[in-house]
Each structure stands twice: as C-alpha cells, then as structure tokens.
Amino acid sequence: MNHCLPEKIVVYRDGVSDGQLKTVANYEIPQLQKCFEAFENYQPKMVVFVVQKKISTNLYLAAPQNFVTPTPGTVVDHTITSCEW
C-alpha cells in the first residue's frame, strides 16, 4: 500500500508447547527469514514472541489489604520470562 517494506517485523506465535519450542526456533523462524530473500537487499529486524499454552502462572498486584489482578497493559519482562525461549 505504501510501496515500502517494513524495517521491523513482530511475530506473535501462540499455542506452543514445550516440545514445540525447538521446532519454532529451528524451522519456523528460518522459514520466515527465508521469505525476505524474495526481495533484493531486504534484511528487516524481526522479533518472535512465543505464547505458551497451558501455563499455570497467576499474576497478582499487592494492593492494600488484598491481592488483585494487574491492570490491563501490565508488562512482565523478568523473572517468569525467558530470553532464550
């Protein structure tokens, strides 16, 4: 539409089990990167977020006298996350 390719690409991959993580890393991501070769001199930056299924982690915000669920838009970027996976 705007006649230029994106400089950055964000991919959200949902429903990935522990056993599928290596498949995403070793097959799916390289296949996405191979698509960039269809365009001359095109090497965008790409980040892939994997959202795993069946997690049992519950998040709570410590409020005065009780615990409540975090507000929409809360970002958790350490401790329970993994930079490798």
Side-chain angles (χ1 to χ4, degrees):
M1 178 175 273
N2 60 5
H3 303 289
C4 67
L5 297 169
E7 295 177 14
K8 299 175 184 174
I9 297 174
V10 178
V11 177
Y12 288 91
R13 180 67 168 82
D14 188 17
V16 177
S17 67
D18 286 338
Q20 295 172 312
L21 287 171
K22 286 187 179 180
T23 300
V24 171
N26 296 332
Y27 177 75
E28 292 183 18
I29 293 173
Q31 290 296 312
L32 288 168
Q33 293 170 325
K34 186 149 183 69
C35 293
F36 304 150
E37 295 174 7
F39 304 94
E40 187 175 328
N41 297 325
Y42 184 53
Q43 297 175 341
K45 293 181 180 179
M46 182 175 72
V47 63
V48 178
F49 291 96
V50 174
V51 180
Q52 286 193 284
K53 58 185 178 180
K54 297 182 182 177
I55 61 168
S56 60
T57 303
N58 292 312
L59 302 176
Y60 297 98
L61 178 65
Q65 300 179 354
N66 62 354
F67 291 97
V68 296
T69 56
T71 56
T74 299
V75 175
V76 179
D77 63 356
H78 60 82
T79 309
I80 63 169
T81 62
S82 171
C83 65
E84 181 179 344
W85 293 113

